[in-house]
Amino acid sequence: MQNKIRTFVCFELPPTVLELLRSIQGRLKPLHDGTRWVNPERIHLTLRFLGDVERERLDAVMEAVQNACKAFEPFTLTVSKTGAFPNFKRPRVFWVGVSDPDQKLQQCQAAIEGELEDIGFPGEKRAFSPHLTLGRVNNSRGVANVSKELERLHPEPVSFPAREVVVMQSKLTPSGAVYTPLRKIGL
């Protein structure tokens, strides 16, 4: 048995959001074969990636996330704008943004980050930027077409209730990552 489990903390997405992502990807995929598109069924809103975690630490991780979530009620998130990291001129990652005007998402993520730091996980150096990854650019030749199309897209906003945070296991396989919820923690 493997002693470490690749782990992250996230919100899973409802079918309405997955359909929006599938629709956007459907417009972009024919424009560039040098982008590795993420299967919409595997897209989630990552709050914190932990990497390989020793099995004996997983209970502490789940308890930390649960402690952080105690202070929150379900809240609404909205998926709308599009973007690229680092920008549309030199894209490495294409994404769809997630917003919450009440900043509950930012607060929830910060609380989880704080609890995880308390049990020994170093804090993220980058600011939290809530997004849903559509695809990663492997070959930049011809990618400008995707950037232009994505920049022009203004998808109709889709809102959904964020009700539970998931501590997720990620197994890398030749056909892509396989995700298994380790624990779902209600807000």
Side-chain angles (χ1 to χ4, degrees):
M1 181 186 303
Q2 199 171 20
N3 188 37
K4 293 184 178 181
I5 293 180
R6 192 168 188 257
T7 306
F8 64 95
V9 181
C10 68
F11 281 110
E12 293 182 298
L13 304 171
T16 52
V17 172
L18 298 180
E19 185 55 39
L20 172 66
L21 301 176
R22 194 175 294 111
S23 169
I24 292 172
Q25 284 183 336
R27 292 178 64 164
L28 302 177
K29 282 180 179 178
L31 301 175
H32 191 245
D33 60 2
T35 297
R36 188 168 33 100
W37 300 102
V38 179
N39 180 336
E41 303 302 321
R42 296 179 182 162
I43 297 176
H44 44 263
L45 175 57
T46 300
L47 300 173
R48 181 67 159 81
F49 181 75
L50 297 172
D52 291 329
V53 176
E54 295 84 7
R55 283 184 181 274
E56 56 269 18
R57 293 184 74 190
L58 283 176
D59 284 343
V61 167
M62 291 184 223
E63 188 176 324
V65 174
Q66 191 157 346
N67 286 340
C69 291
K70 284 179 184 172
F72 295 90
E73 300 280 327
F75 52 89
T76 300
L77 298 174
T78 302
V79 176
S80 58
K81 65 183 180 184
T82 60
F85 293 134
N87 56 52
F88 279 119
K89 290 186 178 177
R90 295 182 311 122
R92 301 300 311 149
V93 173
F94 294 113
W95 51 264
V96 175
V98 178
S99 64
D100 76 309
D102 298 329
Q103 300 295 307
K104 295 293 184 192
L105 176 60
Q106 299 283 347
Q107 294 168 18
C108 183
Q109 192 277 336
I112 290 170
E113 182 81 33
E115 289 285 338
L116 290 169
E117 279 186 53
D118 287 349
I119 61 168
F121 289 91
E124 282 284 340
K125 293 181 173 50
R126 294 179 293 180
F128 177 58
S129 176
H131 68 278
L132 308 173
T133 299
L134 293 170
R136 295 175 178 83
V137 177
N138 288 337
N139 178 348
S140 60
R141 181 178 293 168
V143 76
N145 293 334
V146 178
S147 286
K148 287 177 189 170
E149 180 67 15
L150 189 59
E151 199 169 8
R152 282 192 336 212
L153 280 177
H154 299 286
E156 192 70 30
V158 175
S159 296
F160 67 98
R163 293 190 177 114
E164 60 184 18
V165 172
V166 181
V167 178
M168 191 80 80
Q169 175 180 0
S170 170
K171 276 189 179 175
L172 298 178
T173 72
S175 59
V178 175
Y179 303 130
T180 305
L182 297 172
R183 184 171 298 170
K184 294 185 176 189
I185 299 164
L187 300 180

